[in-house]
Amino acid sequence: MKQALQIKVRGIVQGVGFRPFVYAQAVRNNLRGWVRNTSSGVDIHLVGDSEGIDAFLTALRQEPPPLARIDEILTEAVEPGPFRDFSILESQPVPGEFLPVSPDVSLCSDCQRELLDPANRRYRYPFINCTNCGPRFTITRAIPYDRPNTTMAAFPLCPACQAEYDDPLNRRFHAQPIACPECGPQVRFETAGQSALDGESALAAAAAALRQGKIIAVKGLGGYHLACDAHNREALRTMRERKRRSAKPFAVMAANTAVVEKYCLVSEEERLLLESPARPILLLQKRPGELLPDEISPGQNTLGFMLAYTPLHVLLLNDCAGFTDVLVMTSANLGEEPIVYRDEDASARLADLADGQLSHNRPIYMRTDDSVARVIQGKLYPIRRARGYAPDPVRLPFEVTPLLAAGAELKNTFCLTRDRYVFLSHHIGDMENYETLQSYREGVGHYKRLFHIDPECIVCDLHPDYLASRQARADAQENGLPLMEVQHHHAHLAACLADNGWETDQAVIGLTYDGTGYGTDGTIWGGEVLVGAYSGYQRRFHLEAVPQPGGDLSVRHPARMALAHLWAAGLDWPSDCAPAQALCSEERTALRLQLERRLNTPLTSSMGRLLDAAAALAGVRQKISYEGQAAIEFEALADWDESGGYPLTLDHQIIRLNQFWQAYLSDLLAGVPVSILSARVHQSIIQISVDICERIRAEENIQTVALSGGVWQNRYLLEHTTNALTRRGFSVLLHRQVPANDGGISLGQAVIAGWKLKNL
Ligand code: ZN
Ligand code: ZN
Ligand code: FE
């Protein structure tokens, strides 16, 4: 019996080898009809017998191409048309519709095999790719994702590539960035005062420079990296000086997991993530006695490893194999400026950073940093969401009005919504300089055009001075759009709910712990236990507010925060404690006066500052050079076998710190080792968190706890708290798609505003 079926597939189904897959399945099952891309997905028309159609649908559901993400399959029985065969039709745009764009994809194993096969015509060609791999988002200027809409438009295909591009059974059928040595981009190596080298000589010169301990810039997918031999201490020191980055860890790159395992402990789940198409930088536990220099991630017990993800990286590591197996690959920028990605400013901005540049002539349209992640309880736990993940949308369990959410000040991301999708941007960065603001603006414009989104409302943080909020207010005014302001920790809570597909407005307990967020009472929040969901929240418990002398000054100087905490607890400053020693006697006197007279001492209930203060008192760090450094180094020292703690007490809604500091000081003065001090501080926070959850459950029968805020990047706190709550029967929501830190704030803003507008 001949039947006909019309199928609409939505999700990430373009640029991922979907039509060749459909074609092959149709031919295999003796089906006729056609397949074509539309601007909302892929449409398929099938004619054949019912077994064939069933087999086709089973394959579509159960074994779609590896990079595809199917959100929806709609089928409808139709009249069989007069088709003699199965064909792939031209794309048909549907006005007003939109389509997700695939993130960039690391080199696939088929292409890697060809890259290293001397008999292949793309042997050692640094831009080899196919329908399963290669650049996507970073080269896309517009949709539909066709070659003329990418930065590959400038490279006409040679006859051999064209033949592959046109053959439905070839693995490069309609692979938009397809290229070969005849027709595609070329590498180039440049050093000041010397003539540029191309092709193999460029690769040889780059490897030679690395062997000599030089620092070179390498153009990647979303921007330039600075690379050096990770075993070369001298090169590492030079890199730190030039980048003006004294201690923040450098990411490192290896050719395969076996190399990573020499230096780090790698679980099966971690191996899978390392080797996944996204290839994020994965934070891995250093192997005891590991042989990479401390200078890479000083004071930390982890290394940020990623595997080579472009053919150029594979060749570079291959060519360096004689002298090193690991390269530092850190973003090419100065301090906190955005990563360099435009060839026009590369020469000027890289001149003082790198001794040479390994570049190429395939332009990067959108800059994208490497993503950073961790594996927690066997699953991905994002820390920075960028290359390989953006611009994949987060799918919501409900529909929202098109809106723009501006995100937070640090680790900014923005997002735009449409239907049930939240298009969360790649990591934009810390909004504290003009360049970052500029890339925020460019990014918003690009996402609006790419996904055809015209926001009807703009959402931002309550903070009066956030650059992102100011920009949002200006945008709202300029476009005559309503503006909504959302409290920072409420946004964290809602982000965690949306991240976990929370469908209703049923309240949960939100342990929202971070460094800084503007509170509704004018103080700085950060140690907040909220009860609520999308439509609202109550601040149920919070850390006692203490003065933060000099505002940001105390963030950079945990010593000051430690002394402020002791002062607020009514405790003397032991003259030989590390924070007191870090200040001269005039500074101590001035600090005391400042505290007593409440001069520029905003109040904070921040969990981050509490950890900073404890770290400083333990002698770990009095002054930091990157965000969270003191707390991170303190965590790294914790003894996982210790279970003692200090008393944090509840006084109505406030978590009091006096007895905590008293007990901590007496341990400190008794000479208890820092590994125990650290564990006990962490255990105290876990204990009070669990007690509070129990209390709320007893009163309101709430069983679900969401963990959000930057403090939950602390693995000790995260794993112990999750385990303790789970043991007591709570269901715990962790971030899985967006970071727990401020990189997730825009998602929270969007769903809070979206929920409100939906229920007006
Ligand atoms: Zn490939
Ligand atoms: Zn070619
Ligand atoms: Fe935050």
Side-chain angles (χ1 to χ4, degrees):
M1 237 303 264
K2 205 163 72 170
Q3 292 189 342
L5 202 61
Q6 178 92 24
I7 305 172
K8 284 183 189 298
V9 189
R10 290 197 80 165
I12 294 182
V13 289
Q14 291 186 16
V16 292
F18 204 80
R19 286 172 304 165
F21 162 81
V22 167
Y23 180 90
Q25 286 297 332
V27 171
R28 174 175 309 161
N29 293 299
N30 285 319
L31 301 171
R32 283 165 289 142
W34 48 261
V35 57
R36 81 174 156 215
N37 281 348
T38 71
S39 39
S40 66
V42 167
D43 286 359
I44 307 165
H45 188 95
L46 294 180
V47 181
D49 59 34
S50 56
E51 290 95 73
I53 291 181
D54 286 349
F56 179 94
L57 287 173
T58 306
L60 185 64
R61 292 204 173 93
Q62 291 177 3
E63 48 195 277
L67 300 178
R69 191 187 84 177
I70 296 178
D71 289 338
E72 204 167 32
I73 300 176
L74 299 171
T75 60
E76 191 188 341
V78 289
E79 284 298 309
F83 301 106
R84 316 176 99 186
D85 54 8
F86 194 86
S87 52
I88 296 176
L89 304 183
E90 287 291 310
S91 306
Q92 192 183 64
V94 180
E97 282 290 344
F98 76 104
L99 185 76
V101 171
S102 166
D104 295 286
V105 187
S106 63
L107 183 68
C108 75
S109 54
D110 289 336
C111 286
Q112 174 147 346
R113 205 171 308 120
E114 289 185 11
L115 177 71
L116 302 175
D117 171 9
N120 193 279
R121 74 186 186 92
R122 293 189 179 87
Y123 176 57
R124 287 183 61 83
Y125 178 57
F127 306 96
I128 186 171
N129 65 76
C130 71
T131 45
N132 289 324
C133 76
R136 297 285 188 275
F137 174 60
T138 53
I139 61 164
T140 303
R141 290 193 293 230
I143 56 167
Y145 171 71
D146 285 329
R147 194 171 175 105
N149 281 335
T150 71
T151 64
M152 287 298 290
F155 300 94
L157 293 173
C158 70
C161 285
Q162 186 73 51
E164 291 172 296
Y165 184 90
D166 291 335
D167 173 6
L169 293 177
N170 190 285
R171 66 184 195 84
R172 294 197 168 86
F173 174 71
H174 281 211
Q176 306 304 340
I178 184 179
C180 79
E182 295 305 312
C183 65
Q186 302 294 336
V187 275
R188 166 164 278 228
F189 186 76
E190 291 167 289
T191 331
Q194 283 173 32
S195 48
L197 300 167
D198 292 322
E200 284 296 340
S201 341
L203 293 170
L210 290 169
R211 180 194 284 268
Q212 290 159 22
K214 298 250 170 71
I215 293 168
I216 64 165
V218 180
K219 187 175 175 184
L221 279 176
Y224 283 80
H225 280 124
L226 289 179
C228 74
D229 175 1
H231 288 279
N232 187 324
R233 288 199 153 82
E234 194 53 40
L236 292 168
R237 274 194 288 274
T238 311
M239 181 95 95
R240 289 214 176 271
E241 276 165 30
R242 291 194 194 163
K243 262 183 75 98
R244 296 189 208 142
R245 182 160 168 171
S246 57
K248 196 172 175 181
F250 290 141
V252 286
M253 181 183 272
N256 54 57
T257 310
V259 174
V260 181
E261 284 180 316
K262 279 169 68 181
Y263 306 106
C264 291
L265 304 170
V266 183
S267 69
E268 180 58 12
E269 292 87 359
E270 286 168 333
R271 183 185 67 77
L272 289 172
L273 190 53
L274 270 177
E275 296 173 358
S276 71
R279 299 216 176 161
I281 295 169
L282 197 56
L283 300 187
L284 295 165
Q285 207 69 20
K286 289 179 183 171
R287 199 175 266 288
E290 48 90 23
L291 300 165
L292 282 171
D294 259 352
E295 284 89 338
I296 296 171
S297 62
Q300 300 214 8
N301 51 14
T302 57
L303 278 169
F305 252 111
M306 61 184 147
L307 294 187
Y309 57 84
T310 69
L312 185 58
H313 296 144
V314 170
L315 293 175
L316 199 58
L317 277 155
N318 196 58
D319 296 353
C320 291
F323 62 95
T324 191
D325 52 357
V326 182
L327 293 176
V328 165
M329 279 284 184
T330 180
S331 50
N333 55 3
L334 196 59
E336 300 304 321
E337 286 175 7
I339 187 170
V340 177
Y341 76 101
R342 278 195 193 93
D343 298 319
E344 307 88 86
D345 28 89
S347 304
R349 285 181 65 195
L350 296 174
D352 298 333
L353 293 170
D355 303 308
Q357 284 179 39
L358 183 61
S359 180
H360 59 74
N361 55 347
R362 184 181 71 206
I364 297 170
Y365 186 74
M366 246 307 108
R367 84 160 170 102
T368 318
D369 295 82
D370 290 317
S371 291
V372 183
R374 190 162 220 170
V375 167
I376 296 290
Q377 298 193 319
K379 284 192 258 174
L380 169 74
Y381 190 73
I383 292 174
R384 181 167 75 194
R385 188 179 179 275
R387 175 188 53 77
Y389 298 100
D392 259 3
V394 174
R395 218 172 128 78
L396 295 180
F398 46 84
E399 205 158 297
V400 290
T401 313
L403 47 84
L404 164 66
E409 181 84 337
L410 296 180
K411 302 184 168 67
N412 178 274
T413 62
F414 62 84
C415 67
L416 285 152
T417 62
R418 192 180 163 152
D419 304 349
R420 285 172 175 237
Y421 292 103
V422 178
F423 292 93
L424 187 88
S425 77
H426 52 289
H427 167 84
I428 301 291
D430 296 347
M431 298 276 274
E432 42 198 14
N433 53 51
Y434 177 75
E435 288 74 19
T436 315
L437 178 64
Q438 200 50 36
S439 71
Y440 168 91
R441 289 184 183 136
E442 286 168 9
V444 170
H446 186 49
Y447 276 67
K448 276 189 194 169
R449 286 190 302 275
L450 210 49
F451 303 114
H452 301 163
I453 299 175
D454 209 359
E456 292 167 19
C457 174
I458 297 183
V459 202
C460 69
D461 194 274
L462 270 184
H463 199 293
D465 297 325
Y466 270 11
L467 215 45
S469 296
R470 281 200 245 164
Q471 180 69 40
R473 290 184 192 108
D475 285 346
Q477 189 148 36
E478 193 178 313
N479 299 298
L481 293 175
L483 181 81
M484 277 170 74
E485 294 183 343
V486 171
Q487 200 281 325
H488 188 92
H489 300 90
H490 185 206
H492 272 309
L493 168 64
C496 191
L497 292 177
D499 188 326
N500 286 277
W502 195 254
E503 291 176 30
T504 66
D505 199 34
Q506 199 186 339
V508 304
I509 302 167
L511 301 178
T512 52
Y513 298 163
D514 66 359
T516 300
Y518 192 77
T520 52
D521 58 358
T523 68
I524 304 168
W525 291 8
E528 315 302 312
V529 182
L530 309 182
V531 170
Y534 300 122
S535 68
Y537 70 97
Q538 289 176 306
R539 187 192 193 198
R540 197 57 65 83
F541 294 92
H542 60 89
L543 284 181
E544 180 178 349
V546 301
Q548 186 176 317
D552 276 351
L553 185 69
S554 284
V555 179
R556 293 191 300 273
H557 292 85
R560 290 175 176 272
M561 205 59 231
L563 297 176
H565 258 291
L566 295 186
W567 181 85
L571 299 169
D572 287 334
W573 297 344
S575 58
D576 58 347
C577 77
Q581 293 283 315
L583 274 62
C584 68
S585 77
E586 288 79 18
E587 286 173 320
R588 283 197 301 272
T589 311
L591 181 65
R592 184 175 292 281
L593 270 176
Q594 185 177 15
L595 289 164
E596 283 166 355
R597 296 186 184 166
R598 303 179 191 281
L599 300 166
N600 188 18
T601 49
L603 292 174
T604 184
S605 54
S606 165
M607 187 63 82
R609 297 295 86 75
L610 177 71
L611 287 164
D612 283 355
L617 273 167
V620 171
R621 191 151 294 278
Q622 311 307 318
K623 193 180 159 195
I624 59 165
S625 65
Y626 62 90
E627 198 203 356
Q629 183 180 8
I632 291 167
E633 293 179 2
F634 193 45
E635 180 208 344
L637 295 165
D639 181 342
W640 281 58
D641 294 328
E642 168 63 27
S643 58
Y646 308 115
L648 286 164
T649 49
L650 293 181
D651 170 6
H652 301 285
Q653 300 189 321
I654 298 173
I655 305 165
R656 293 276 175 212
L657 298 167
N658 174 282
Q659 293 180 37
F660 168 88
W661 287 121
Q662 237 171 342
Y664 185 54
L665 270 192
S666 84
D667 257 8
L668 189 67
L669 298 175
V672 171
V674 63
S675 58
I676 303 295
L677 294 174
S678 170
R680 289 182 180 170
V681 166
H682 287 93
Q683 286 294 339
S684 318
I685 296 167
I686 295 156
Q687 192 56 55
I688 191 70
S689 301
V690 172
D691 289 351
I692 286 176
C693 290
E694 291 276 22
R695 188 190 273 221
I696 296 172
R697 175 163 66 181
E699 288 168 5
E700 300 179 48
N701 195 28
I702 297 176
Q703 308 279 350
T704 305
V705 185
L707 307 186
S708 192
V711 164
W712 297 110
Q713 289 170 105
N714 179 316
R715 190 167 74 97
Y716 187 104
L717 282 182
L718 182 66
E719 292 195 347
H720 283 90
T721 308
T722 306
N723 292 339
L725 287 170
T726 309
R727 270 199 308 275
R728 284 168 178 76
F730 286 99
S731 135
V732 184
L733 305 179
L734 307 184
H735 278 278
R736 293 299 184 189
Q737 304 182 68
V738 304
N741 62 45
D742 286 2
I745 285 288
S746 61
L747 172 62
Q749 294 172 340
V751 287
I752 289 169
W755 186 273
K756 193 165 274 178
L757 292 170
K758 180 167 90 87
N759 294 290
L760 273 181

